[in-house]
Amino acid sequence: MKTYTATPSDIEKKWWLIDAQDLVLGRLAVEVADLLRGKHKTTYTPHMDCGDHVVVVNAGKVHLTGNKRADKRTYWHTGYPGGIKSRTMAQILEGKHPERAVQKAVQRMLPRGPLGRQQFSHLRVYAGADHPHEAQQPEVLDIGARNRKNKKAATR
């Protein structure tokens, strides 16, 4: 029996819509990364972009467990001497671009390289409930119903 390998003509891409309100950030990112890579399909091929398009709405309302909201910091360097900067997750989620927390969490779960960058380009994240992808008729995916740990109460 020969090993199945998907070709570009075999790949069919679907659109998924995920409401991130009150979902745990890490658990959401794992599910989204699997959809982007195509690991949920029986035709998964590691070296091909056989994943789907994913639209995440309400990204600013994700939940972090424990004290990660106040303690978890992201760092970057400006390029100047002594130019290390940092922000807490609370500052990011309450700031101008809260969708970046979801984007970075998903990006860090995808492979590094050209294939990972191509798969990451199929992710659309919006801080609010509105999105411009109604024409693609995305199918709603309820991640909170898959496992009770995926969803947390909205106590902040």
Side-chain angles (χ1 to χ4, degrees):
M1 182 174 176
K2 294 183 86 175
T3 302
Y4 175 79
T5 302
T7 60
S9 60
D10 298 336
I11 297 171
E12 293 180 19
K13 293 188 174 289
K14 288 177 64 177
W15 282 77
W16 297 98
L17 176 66
I18 299 173
D19 186 3
Q21 185 168 355
D22 297 331
L23 292 180
V24 176
L25 177 61
R27 288 174 170 271
L28 167 69
V30 168
E31 298 285 344
V32 171
D34 282 349
L35 289 171
L36 290 173
R37 291 198 67 199
K39 293 193 102 175
H40 62 290
K41 297 180 178 182
T42 57
T43 58
Y44 170 71
T45 305
H47 64 278
M48 297 292 296
D49 180 16
C50 52
D52 295 333
H53 295 270
V54 180
V55 179
V56 179
V57 294
N58 290 323
K61 299 177 182 174
V62 293
H63 189 83
L64 284 94
T65 58
N67 294 327
K68 289 187 204 115
R69 188 171 177 83
D71 295 344
K72 186 175 175 72
R73 303 185 77 81
T74 57
Y75 296 93
W76 69 96
H77 198 282
T78 62
Y80 290 96
I84 188 124
K85 305 261 184 180
S86 69
R87 279 199 187 117
T88 63
M89 288 303 287
Q91 289 173 324
I92 293 171
L93 291 172
E94 294 162 4
K96 200 173 193 179
H97 300 285
E99 65 274 1
R100 290 184 184 164
V102 175
Q103 287 175 339
K104 282 309 225 180
V106 172
Q107 185 179 27
R108 290 170 178 153
M109 291 186 184
L110 292 175
R112 280 71 173 162
L115 180 61
R117 288 189 292 272
Q118 183 181 4
Q119 291 167 343
F120 182 69
S121 70
H122 299 289
L123 174 67
R124 279 84 173 176
V125 183
Y126 300 98
D130 299 329
H131 65 90
H133 303 288
E134 288 297 327
Q136 283 74 29
Q137 299 172 343
E139 190 175 325
V140 177
L141 182 63
D142 188 10
I143 292 177
R146 288 185 173 189
N147 188 336
R148 65 179 179 81
K149 294 180 182 178
N150 291 351
K151 198 167 189 116
K152 291 289 180 184
T155 56
R156 288 188 181 160

